[in-house]
Amino acid sequence: METPRLDRQLPPRIVQPVRSHRCSNRRQRTAELHPTSGWGLDLRTDMDLNLSRRVAVVTGASKGIGLSVTRSLLEEGANVVAVSRKVTPELERLAGPNLRHVSADLMDPAAPGQVISYAVEQFGGLDVLVNNSGGPPPGVTMSRTGFFDSNDEQWRSIFEFNLFSAVRAIRAAVPQMIERGGGSIINISTGMARQPASVNVEYGAAKAGLSNLTKALSEEFGPKGIRINTVSPGAVLTAWWTEEGGAADVIAGMANADRDSVMESIAPQMMGHVTGRLIDPQEVADAVLLLASPRSASTTGFGLPGRRRIPQEFLVPRAEFDRP
């Protein structure tokens, strides 16, 4: 595989964040996310998370959860290395002196270590690692509705992208964090790691491995000041759902429905979301920032869940039971 292009820097087009602007932006986003909830407060508008000038690496940063995490860290004054294969217009709009972009394929075994080295070179150390890259790797289409939908190579690629890339990033990050006296690692897992279902079996298995890894490493490195936690959301309204041929289209074909109905009502019901809606990426980002913050100094080995049981009748076509 190609070596990541580690020399690219987004053009500095914005100034250092100003707290009053951050508060205004967050309140506006909160109101947009939950216009009828009655909640006008974002936790981060009224609490200093002590993330200013800390150095963070965020993988899968060009869209969805990773983009929201990157934006939120920048608003807190952190220095961020955003990792993705490509730069999206949304990521470009965050350009500024606190942001670097690394174009990398994290399925290349050398890439995670190179990314961490680049962050240290650019900003002098590492305090926060957010292993957000995951889902279907290039060339793999999900959702899958049964065990026989995947061959060995597809299983390997899912594990490379969703588990081994994080293993390698953590292996490179831990020595740097120990040198700084500690740090925080947040692994983005999935509710299926805790409550398996007969859909996307290989993905759930890989993320279960990530959740297990989190628990094990939190025991080993907690005494050295490194906190390691997971956030395991349910269905988040990301490109995995919204892109053409994505999960919404796959489920729409199974349910004989249109994609909008899938995202607005069918998918939340399938996933057992008591809120009746898919999760906004910013909601996940807010949880990630709290775990990244020194405010959570005694939180480690924690898995933040966000999903209920998927009813079988929604997910497995009857034909699946007839397969050998």
Side-chain angles (χ1 to χ4, degrees):
M1 299 183 182
E2 293 184 1
T3 301
R5 298 189 300 277
L6 299 176
D7 56 350
R8 179 166 186 177
Q9 177 179 340
L10 294 176
R13 298 186 307 198
I14 60 173
V15 297
Q16 289 275 36
V18 179
R19 185 167 181 80
S20 61
H21 292 173
R22 298 204 307 267
C23 294
S24 175
N25 290 342
R26 287 178 195 137
R27 290 182 186 274
Q28 180 179 351
R29 286 205 301 274
T30 301
E32 290 171 350
L33 288 178
H34 312 297
T36 61
S37 69
W39 292 95
L41 295 177
D42 184 319
L43 175 65
R44 293 178 289 118
T45 65
D46 299 310
M47 179 185 290
D48 184 356
L49 294 179
N50 298 324
L51 290 169
S52 179
R53 294 188 296 277
R54 297 188 187 269
V55 181
V57 168
V58 182
T59 67
S62 64
K63 53 190 176 182
I65 295 171
L67 179 67
S68 293
V69 171
T70 298
R71 181 191 300 115
S72 298
L73 284 167
L74 290 170
E75 288 173 346
E76 287 295 324
N79 298 312
V80 183
V81 172
V83 186
S84 63
R85 288 183 175 84
K86 300 177 180 178
V87 179
T88 59
E90 293 80 9
L91 184 57
E92 287 275 11
R93 285 196 285 272
L94 300 180
N98 291 5
L99 179 65
R100 303 289 188 275
H101 177 258
V102 176
S103 178
D105 178 1
L106 294 177
M107 293 177 70
D108 175 352
Q114 292 173 332
V115 166
I116 299 301
S117 295
Y118 179 76
V120 173
E121 173 191 322
Q122 290 291 304
F123 294 120
L126 180 67
D127 302 296
V128 177
L129 170 63
V130 182
N131 282 312
N132 170 67
S133 288
V140 175
T141 301
M142 298 172 73
S143 298
R144 301 183 191 279
T145 58
F147 174 68
F148 288 100
D149 289 344
S150 303
N151 57 32
D152 282 0
E153 186 54 40
Q154 290 164 333
W155 271 78
R156 289 190 192 96
S157 65
I158 290 289
F159 268 68
E160 279 286 343
F161 194 40
N162 290 275
L163 177 58
F164 293 129
S165 66
V167 169
R168 293 162 184 146
I170 293 170
R171 186 182 292 136
V174 164
Q176 300 297 335
M177 290 182 174
I178 291 175
E179 189 172 320
R180 300 266 278 195
S184 178
I185 298 172
I186 302 100
N187 297 319
I188 307 301
S189 185
T190 173
M192 286 191 293
R194 295 167 57 93
Q195 295 174 297
S198 56
V199 63
N200 300 330
V201 176
E202 70 276 49
Y203 172 70
K207 289 296 191 180
L210 183 62
S211 297
N212 186 286
L213 176 74
T214 299
K215 290 283 189 180
L217 297 185
S218 69
E219 296 281 344
E220 181 175 355
F221 296 111
K224 298 182 184 296
I226 299 175
R227 298 179 296 107
I228 309 177
N229 297 285
T230 57
V231 176
S232 302
V236 182
L237 192 59
T238 63
W240 185 350
W241 286 89
T242 59
E243 285 182 347
E244 185 176 353
D249 288 332
V250 172
I251 294 173
M254 293 167 52
N256 194 25
D258 62 87
R259 68 195 320 268
D260 290 338
S261 296
V262 169
M263 289 186 283
E264 291 171 6
S265 59
I266 296 174
Q269 185 180 3
M270 287 171 56
M271 301 299 173
H273 287 196
V274 295
T275 58
R277 61 176 175 80
L278 298 182
I279 301 166
D280 189 279
Q282 185 60 49
E283 297 174 278
V284 183
D286 289 344
V288 169
L289 257 68
L290 186 58
L291 291 172
S293 168
R295 294 273 185 174
S296 299
S298 293
T299 304
T300 190
F302 177 67
L304 181 64
R307 177 180 169 272
R308 294 178 63 191
R309 182 182 65 86
I310 299 181
Q312 288 287 336
E313 61 268 23
F314 282 111
L315 296 177
V316 185
R318 179 57 53 186
E320 291 293 328
F321 295 111
D322 298 329
R323 291 191 176 187

